[in-house]
Amino acid sequence: MPAPGTVAEEAPPIDVPAPAPIVVPPISEKEVAPAPAPKAQVVETPIETPVRRARYDVAILQALDKVTAETLRFEAAVGRPVRYKNLIFTVRACERSAPDEPVEDSIAYLTVDSQPRPERGKPAPPARQAFKGWMYASSPGLNPLQHAGYDAWLITCRAARPLTPPPAPQSTPAAAPPRAVAAAAPAAKASPPATASAPAAPAPKAVPPVPSKASPAPPRPEPVPAAPPPAEEPVT
């Protein structure tokens, strides 16, 4: 051990010879293959065609006179102006929400013009547009009519002519299959008639009517519904 107060000498480094480089044979271009290109991952999403809204040709509106508190519900056809006091309503489109929409609603696009009625001998005053846009039946306050004397909102949309379903085809009695008819024919021949032993009752004689001078007038004939044609019996 070294004496206290003395510094130990370090061992000299060991000379390690560097390894010789590895000689790699040259590679020709023919031996090198191009790297494959990464494939793009395409996620196929189903394309859903949106359901169109059903359009109608009549809008049902309700108007309110703020001065007299009078309300009136009326119909306005698409493209035909309708007057309510000093307002003229012109509906441009009226439709209902599609089945895939979360809220069932009626929507109408219309314009409302404010134009007082012309007085006698004076020209009609110019119209002033009071509203233009969409009205929603479920939310009247979403896009309301802003007028000092009147208020109006949409109730619903309907068709001018109700669609009637086509008449159902009349069912005709089906003929019995030939096998069932052939099997029923011998059974009918084998069964004896139920009224063979009892004599037939004589038919009553027809009594001619007695003419009278004070006979009442005959009643008018009433239409009788036609009976369905009898089914054809199979020929044995």
Side-chain angles (χ1 to χ4, degrees):
M1 295 181 60
T6 59
V7 178
E9 296 181 358
E10 296 182 358
I14 302 173
D15 295 335
V16 178
I22 301 173
V23 179
V24 179
I27 301 174
S28 61
E29 296 182 0
K30 295 181 179 181
E31 297 177 358
V32 178
K39 295 182 179 181
Q41 296 181 357
V42 179
V43 179
E44 297 181 359
T45 56
I47 301 175
E48 297 181 359
T49 56
V51 182
R52 293 186 177 182
R53 293 178 176 177
R55 290 210 165 186
Y56 299 86
D57 47 5
V58 174
I60 300 178
L61 305 171
Q62 188 163 347
L64 168 66
D65 190 342
K66 298 180 181 179
V67 179
T68 62
E70 177 188 0
T71 60
L72 177 66
R73 182 173 295 188
F74 58 94
E75 297 181 355
V78 175
R80 295 183 180 181
V82 178
R83 173 182 283 274
Y84 171 73
K85 295 188 176 183
N86 294 341
L87 299 181
I88 300 176
F89 296 83
T90 305
V91 181
R92 303 298 180 183
C94 195
E95 57 189 23
R96 290 183 183 177
S97 55
D100 57 348
E101 295 186 27
V103 180
E104 184 177 356
D105 197 2
S106 297
I107 309 99
Y109 184 84
L110 68 156
T111 58
V112 182
D113 297 331
S114 178
Q115 184 180 18
R117 296 181 181 272
E119 300 180 0
R120 293 184 178 180
K122 295 183 180 180
R128 181 178 58 86
Q129 190 176 81
F131 178 82
K132 181 180 181 181
W134 292 92
M135 281 189 178
Y136 302 87
S138 63
S139 304
L142 183 61
N143 193 15
L145 168 67
Q146 297 180 358
H147 195 273
Y150 303 99
D151 194 4
W153 57 92
L154 175 66
I155 300 298
T156 185
C157 302
R158 74 169 186 86
R161 295 181 180 180
L163 301 177
T164 56
Q170 298 181 357
S171 59
T172 56
R179 293 184 179 180
V181 174
K189 293 181 180 179
S191 60
T195 58
S197 59
K205 297 181 179 181
V207 180
V210 179
S212 60
K213 295 182 180 181
S215 59
R220 296 181 179 179
E222 298 181 359
V224 180
E232 297 182 359
E233 297 184 358
V235 179
T236 58

